[in-house]
Amino acid sequence: MLLAALCCLLWSFRTSTGHFPRACASSKSLMEKECCPPWSGDGSPCGQLSGRGACQDIVLSNAPFGPQFPFTGVDDRESWPSVFYNRTCQCFGNFMGFNCGNCKFGFWGQNCTEKRLLVRKNIFDLSVPEKNKFLAYLTLAKHTTSPDYVIPTGTYGQMNNGSTPMFNDINIYDLFVWMHYYVSRDTLLGGSEIWKDIDFAHEAPGFLPWHRLFLLLWEQEIQKLTGDENFTIPYWDWRDAKSCDICTDEYMGGRNPANPNLLSPASFFSSWQIVCTRLEEYNSRQALCDGTPEGPLLRNPGNHDKARTPRLPSSADVEFCLSLTQYESDSMDKAANFSFRNTLEGFASPLTGIADASQSSMHNALHIYMNGTMSQVPGSANDPIFLLHHAFVDSIFEQWLRRHHPLQEVYPEANAPIGHNRESYMVPFIPLYRNGDFFISSRDLGYDYSNLQESERDIFQDYIKPYLEQASRIWPWLIGAAVVGCVVTAVLGGLTSLLCRRNRKQLHEEKQPLLMEKEDYHSLLYQTHL
């Protein structure tokens, strides 16, 4: 009842963000290849009259990609977003958004000048009101149509190169599900031909920056949707877990007693309909997911392929990942060895760092373990556990950044799989963001993790504080020694000064002439210099 009442209370709020701005889904925008909507604050494109931004040509990176995708000009996601638009809003200062109407991550206020740092908490550390509020926000997002964004239901070619727009409305939660599907879907080559070895958000360097941005945008939209400026996504710390301890009706939904593949009827999520999961159907029709409901959310944690994923990740697994010094290596894909990214993603062993195609560990292990909707990559974001899981993965990424302090140049500039180079724009986001923009500390993006703050406090408690306490016990002796030292130094200095003045006086009286002509004076100076 409390959640239902809260949903009703929040129903009046409407906003969203994500992929294709509704204002840019017209045939005019598509054919002119321009997405520069007006900012409502002054009515000018990109808020140009207010100095927020300007409509500018997109500058694409020309760095070469790796050999994994052997085609050119067959996929709308190539050289994103140039197939659809080659002019977008370029925002100035701390402004951000498809029309420069938002603030950059980490800034707030009417003019985006106020810095702030929000903290993401362990879901089990949330108070009951905080936890209920989070569940209500999820439900509200699932039932609120996005006023700002739509999703394409056909390729650019199927839209007759933009002259026949094909777009659908979608709710805020499913908008993000669609984005995760779209970024990882197969390439449609025409007829019955497809290319599966492509993914703009997984199996390569962009995996961690892409999901970091995904969570930030989702978090930002919930803040705007609800008016709760301090909302943050909670995380699930799954280290050493023996089961899915968040799979209860109190949290993310328990097991249905009549059907283990479904959620308990007492869970809010049991009535959710999933989208974008019928990949083979889309491929056979050479079509895109159009957001049509496809059935209930599926989940059967623990009844998965245990040969592939024998256990959930341990604390030791996480520590091994963090010890790896290379962010990326080798071919920069799922065959990379000793790569922090590939090991954390779960394609390399957390015991050796060697790629192992027969095993799914770390991040991948959680997806496989859920044994349902979350186990299929494109549609996995349908399960709200996805958010909690990726928030914790992001916290491990953040811990690695703080431990190793890599320069941005550590992120590969070239030869990564398509879409994953440092300067590549991330699919399918408008406004535009580059992979390298999110290879920085989360604190520079306006958020932190409670467990990392505690770790920093532990370092102080374990290493620095004992020395300070020891110094405080002996400080009277240190001060006394310092005072005695000062006195002795002063006495010795005084005696030395007195002796020096006496010697100089005697020397001066012995060598000073009674009368001296100018020539004699110069002669004395000459002799003295010699």
Side-chain angles (χ1 to χ4, degrees):
M1 289 297 292
L2 175 61
L3 292 178
L6 187 53
C7 285
C8 292
L9 177 64
L10 297 172
W11 193 260
S12 59
F13 295 99
R14 296 285 193 273
T15 188
S16 182
T17 189
H19 184 42
F20 283 81
R22 190 181 294 272
C24 300
S26 66
S27 58
K28 181 177 184 295
S29 294
L30 290 169
M31 295 181 73
E32 293 179 354
K33 289 184 172 289
E34 182 172 292
C35 183
C36 295
W39 174 53
S40 59
D42 62 13
S44 67
C46 314
Q48 185 169 359
L49 294 178
S50 300
R52 285 178 165 255
C55 189
Q56 296 181 3
D57 292 340
I58 293 168
V59 179
L60 296 173
S61 169
N62 57 7
F65 293 117
Q68 293 85 354
F69 187 68
F71 305 99
T72 301
V74 299
D75 195 308
D76 290 347
R77 299 167 295 180
E78 297 178 53
S79 301
W80 181 261
S82 61
V83 169
F84 295 98
Y85 310 108
N86 53 34
R87 285 173 62 81
T88 63
C89 287
Q90 304 297 306
C91 304
F92 305 145
N94 295 331
F95 298 113
M96 187 183 80
F98 66 85
N99 62 357
C100 301
N102 297 336
C103 296
K104 279 186 177 179
F105 302 117
F107 290 89
W108 203 252
Q110 185 174 0
N111 295 312
C112 301
T113 55
E114 303 172 30
K115 290 208 69 173
R116 65 173 185 169
L117 185 71
L118 301 179
V119 179
R120 293 176 180 171
K121 300 178 182 178
N122 188 318
I123 191 169
F124 292 119
D125 291 337
L126 298 181
S127 66
V128 172
E130 287 175 327
K131 182 259 297 178
N132 288 340
K133 184 170 63 173
F134 171 59
L135 298 179
Y137 288 175
L138 287 168
T139 303
L140 180 60
K142 187 73 170 179
H143 292 90
T144 303
T145 300
S146 169
D148 293 334
Y149 280 86
V150 290
I151 60 169
T153 58
T155 65
Y156 191 71
Q158 290 167 349
M159 296 185 200
N160 296 318
N161 297 325
S163 63
T164 310
M166 299 170 62
F167 294 95
N168 274 359
D169 289 335
I170 196 165
N171 69 63
I172 293 171
Y173 189 94
D174 288 350
L175 172 66
F176 284 85
V177 176
W178 188 93
M179 286 192 289
H180 195 263
Y181 146 78
Y182 186 79
V183 76
S184 56
R185 69 173 177 85
D186 300 331
T187 291
L188 307 177
L189 296 174
S192 60
E193 298 297 316
I194 60 169
W195 181 265
K196 288 182 174 289
D197 192 16
I198 186 171
D199 196 312
F200 289 83
H202 303 86
E203 305 178 10
F207 167 69
L208 292 168
W210 191 95
H211 286 84
R212 168 165 283 193
L213 172 60
F214 180 91
L215 293 180
L216 278 167
L217 289 173
W218 194 92
E219 197 169 65
Q220 184 184 70
E221 291 322 300
I222 296 299
Q223 292 165 1
K224 292 194 294 181
L225 171 66
T226 63
D228 184 352
E229 299 176 358
N230 297 313
F231 168 76
T232 54
I233 298 171
Y235 63 86
W236 173 32
D237 185 345
W238 33 248
R239 290 174 298 179
D240 306 312
K242 303 303 180 185
S243 63
C244 181
D245 50 8
I246 58 172
C247 295
T248 65
D249 289 339
E250 182 184 1
Y251 287 94
M252 308 311 293
R255 196 187 304 271
N256 189 316
N259 185 340
N261 293 314
L262 299 177
L263 300 187
S264 163
S267 166
F268 272 90
F269 308 114
S270 64
S271 63
W272 278 28
Q273 288 284 304
I274 59 176
V275 299
C276 301
T277 61
R278 298 175 180 172
L279 307 182
E280 296 305 320
E281 178 187 325
Y282 311 146
N283 288 345
S284 66
R285 294 192 289 112
Q286 292 282 301
L288 301 184
C289 166
D290 60 7
T292 301
E294 297 174 347
L297 185 63
L298 302 178
R299 190 194 300 157
N300 192 347
N303 293 319
H304 61 289
D305 181 359
K306 293 182 176 59
R308 185 170 192 82
T309 302
R311 61 178 175 82
L312 291 175
S314 67
S315 297
D317 295 337
V318 173
E319 185 55 38
F320 178 83
C321 281
L322 292 171
S323 72
L324 294 170
T325 58
Q326 297 182 88
Y327 177 75
E328 198 54 86
S329 65
D330 303 321
S331 55
M332 297 183 279
D333 55 21
K334 60 184 178 181
N337 296 317
F338 308 114
S339 155
F340 165 73
R341 186 275 314 162
N342 203 37
T343 306
L344 177 55
E345 191 170 356
F347 294 107
S349 168
L351 302 177
T352 64
I354 301 296
D356 186 351
S358 69
Q359 298 287 296
S360 292
S361 57
M362 297 305 291
H363 152 267
N364 290 347
L366 269 294
H367 283 276
I368 299 298
Y369 176 85
M370 289 302 162
N371 194 32
T373 304
M374 197 168 159
S375 301
Q376 184 192 65
V377 173
S380 58
N382 276 290
D383 193 329
I385 288 179
F386 177 97
L387 298 168
L388 310 181
H389 169 44
H390 273 276
F392 190 63
V393 171
D394 184 70
S395 77
I396 298 173
F397 175 36
E398 179 61 22
Q399 194 172 352
W400 185 87
L401 289 172
R402 295 186 192 182
R403 180 176 296 192
H404 298 282
H405 304 286
L407 298 174
Q408 196 174 52
E409 287 71 22
V410 167
Y411 188 98
E413 180 182 19
N415 300 315
I418 187 169
H420 287 266
N421 285 342
R422 187 197 314 157
E423 298 301 313
S424 295
Y425 289 120
M426 287 190 268
V427 177
F429 302 113
I430 296 174
L432 305 178
Y433 306 92
R434 299 183 189 273
N435 288 302
D437 295 341
F438 295 85
F439 194 72
I440 58 176
S441 172
S442 69
R443 287 180 289 203
D444 295 328
L445 296 166
Y447 72 100
D448 202 351
Y449 287 96
S450 59
N451 61 328
L452 300 189
Q453 292 183 322
E454 291 166 2
S455 297
E456 290 173 350
R457 285 197 293 269
D458 290 343
I459 291 173
F460 175 80
Q461 293 285 343
D462 295 341
Y463 297 101
I464 301 176
K465 188 175 180 181
Y467 288 105
L468 295 178
E469 290 176 347
Q470 185 177 11
S472 68
R473 288 193 293 269
I474 64 173
W475 71 267
W477 298 97
L478 294 175
I479 293 177
V483 170
V484 171
C486 290
V487 170
V488 171
T489 301
V491 170
L492 292 176
L495 290 174
T496 302
S497 178
L498 181 63
L499 290 172
C500 288
R501 283 199 300 270
R502 183 175 179 181
N503 289 338
R504 281 198 300 270
K505 183 177 180 181
Q506 291 174 350
L507 180 63
H508 183 71
E509 289 175 349
E510 290 173 358
K511 294 186 177 181
Q512 179 68 37
L514 295 178
L515 284 172
M516 194 182 305
E517 295 295 331
K518 185 175 182 180
E519 292 78 6
D520 296 330
Y521 179 70
H522 285 298
S523 176
L524 179 61
L525 286 176
Y526 175 72
Q527 295 171 11
T528 303
H529 288 313
L530 291 176

